[in-house]
Amino acid sequence: MPIKVQKELPAKEILERENIFVMDESLALHQNIRPIHIAILNLMPLKEETELQLLRSLSNTPLQVEVTFVKVTSHESKNTSMSHLNKFYVEFSEIRNQRFDGMIITGAPVEMMEFEDVDYWRELTEIMDWTNMHVTSVIYLCWAAQAALYHYYGLQKRLLDKKMFGLFWHRVKNRKIPLVRGFDDMFLAPHSRHTEVPIEEIRKVKEITILAESDEAGMFLAMADGGRRIFIMGHPEYDRVTLDGEYHRDLEKNLPIEIPKNYYRDDDPSVKPLLMWRSHANNLYTNWLNYYVYQATPYDLMGTPDFAYVYSQLDKWKPPMNIADDYNFNI
């Protein structure tokens, strides 16, 4: 798929080397189609790294995706240059009157703090409330998922005995829901966090549907409001060496850290990490863009997303009777 980004965004050259079709504004103007507009509120400290990871994740669909990177104004970034932020990011005030097909709100390294003590908490809650009327579907990643569960449903996070760090096995639940179409029964996904929202508390909220969970890592994927809110407790967007970089960073800082689980062959940090989650991560973002953004959004972005209609059309499709019955057939 073509991803539309600004011409000089550093991630553009890297994506092109990976044979991902990236177009800038000049080429996009020649395509007579309406692109899917995705806003990314990037709260991660290494913003250029996160940009690249998320753009990769959005690259496996035939849709044209136009990305707008958003920054908070109530926090000063210490790990990304101001020139980069000023050139490639917009403030919330610049987009608050716009509508978007989808939005991704990233995690942030503030999980040890109380939500209200985070300097941009008030701004973040304003943005979350704004999405209710201006965005078709929102993905909340890692800490942002915990923040959204707290803001919308009052669910408290809790501190873990040790960092949830590495690749963990997850079971797919509610397979007929389009967000997990094409998933295997079990799959690996990265986690890197010190806190969690207890899965038993999430189960008590009738508005939330859990779609994937782990005996060790708890809830990984859930959704609410028919797919308008999607909560991902891990980091499916991570690339091969992200956990490796975090592991060696913490070692250098003399922080308590264990070897990331299921990540290095024979748990040997000197060897190249195994990449074993990319296909399901790509599938997750592709399903989101297709079923919860593209098919649910009116052409002019001014109407109300009709998820009920989309699901009614999807439910009409049945596999041939000689392949499998409707209950057992796995798409």
Side-chain angles (χ1 to χ4, degrees):
M1 82 160 209
I3 297 177
K4 179 186 172 186
V5 297
Q6 290 159 284
K7 187 173 183 178
E8 297 178 5
L9 184 73
K12 180 175 181 289
E13 182 179 350
I14 300 173
L15 293 169
E16 289 174 334
R17 290 201 301 266
E18 297 175 4
N19 291 322
I20 294 175
F21 182 17
V22 185
M23 65 171 62
D24 56 37
E25 299 93 331
S26 58
L27 179 57
L29 289 174
H30 295 285
Q31 294 203 332
N32 190 26
I33 58 175
R34 186 181 83 75
I36 300 300
H37 294 272
I38 303 295
I40 297 178
L41 178 61
N42 191 353
L43 303 174
M44 294 292 279
L46 301 176
K47 299 194 184 305
E48 293 184 45
E49 179 180 298
T50 303
E51 292 162 12
L52 180 59
Q53 293 170 1
L54 289 174
L55 290 175
R56 280 198 193 106
S57 299
L58 297 173
S59 68
N60 292 279
T61 167
L63 305 171
Q64 182 190 127
V65 178
E66 180 174 334
V67 174
T68 299
F69 289 106
V70 185
K71 62 182 178 180
V72 292
T73 58
S74 43
H75 175 79
E76 182 178 344
S77 177
K78 299 180 177 63
N79 298 281
T80 303
S81 69
M82 287 302 299
S83 61
H84 182 87
L85 291 172
N86 291 335
K87 188 171 187 176
F88 300 113
Y89 282 70
V90 299
E91 297 177 358
F92 173 57
S93 60
E94 299 177 64
I95 63 165
R96 65 182 313 136
N97 294 324
Q98 299 179 32
R99 294 176 183 268
F100 290 86
D101 299 283
M103 187 171 194
I104 298 172
I105 301 181
T106 74
V110 293
E111 56 184 338
M112 307 294 279
M113 302 171 62
E114 295 296 329
F115 290 117
E116 289 84 358
D117 292 338
V118 176
D119 55 6
Y120 51 81
W121 177 249
R122 184 174 179 179
E123 185 176 3
L124 176 60
T125 58
E126 182 183 2
I127 292 172
M128 287 194 286
D129 290 339
W130 167 85
T131 66
N132 295 333
M133 297 297 295
H134 292 82
V135 183
T136 304
S137 179
V138 183
I139 285 180
Y140 298 93
L141 287 172
C142 200
W143 177 81
Q146 298 182 23
L149 291 170
Y150 174 70
H151 178 62
Y152 289 120
Y153 309 104
L155 297 181
Q156 295 281 352
K157 63 181 179 180
R158 69 182 176 193
L159 186 65
L160 297 169
D161 294 334
K162 61 180 180 179
K163 187 175 184 179
M164 191 74 65
F165 190 49
L167 304 178
F168 295 87
W169 285 103
H170 303 81
R171 296 184 304 277
V172 174
K173 314 285 286 185
N174 297 288
R175 179 173 292 283
K176 288 188 177 182
I177 292 179
L179 193 60
V180 291
R181 285 193 168 181
F183 275 52
D184 295 329
D185 291 335
M186 299 284 291
F187 66 95
L188 285 165
H191 289 261
S192 179
R193 51 187 169 82
H194 291 90
T195 58
E196 70 171 359
V197 178
I199 192 169
E200 59 270 19
E201 296 301 315
I202 298 174
R203 288 197 178 102
K204 294 177 182 178
V205 181
K206 62 181 182 180
E207 294 90 350
I208 299 176
T209 300
I210 296 176
L211 301 177
E213 62 183 49
S214 166
D215 291 337
E216 293 181 85
M219 190 276 282
F220 173 73
L221 177 64
M223 71 179 213
D225 198 13
R228 297 205 65 196
R229 297 172 186 163
I230 294 171
F231 313 100
I232 303 175
M233 202 62 73
H235 284 285
E237 78 284 358
Y238 271 11
D239 61 29
R240 181 193 298 271
V241 297
T242 306
L243 292 175
D244 178 72
E246 292 183 3
Y247 172 66
H248 287 95
R249 177 202 64 195
D250 287 358
L251 282 180
E252 291 174 1
K253 293 182 178 180
N254 293 317
L255 297 174
I257 188 66
E258 295 183 357
I259 293 175
K261 191 166 186 177
N262 300 318
Y263 184 55
Y264 300 111
R265 193 184 305 276
D266 299 323
D267 286 338
D268 182 356
S270 67
V271 303
K272 186 178 183 180
L274 297 173
L275 181 60
M276 300 187 292
W277 64 95
R278 178 66 58 78
S279 60
H280 279 85
N282 289 341
N283 199 13
L284 173 59
Y285 283 97
T286 299
N287 286 345
W288 175 62
L289 285 173
N290 184 26
Y291 297 120
Y292 298 87
V293 177
Y294 173 68
Q295 295 195 37
T297 309
Y299 184 86
D300 62 2
L301 268 180
M302 296 304 292
T304 300
D306 189 355
F307 286 105
Y309 172 77
V310 173
Y311 296 153
S312 70
Q313 299 306 303
L314 293 172
D315 288 342
K316 291 178 181 178
W317 185 87
K318 303 270 185 200
M321 293 302 293
N322 64 338
I323 293 181
D325 60 64
D326 195 38
Y327 179 78
N328 292 318
F329 187 78
N330 295 329
I331 297 174

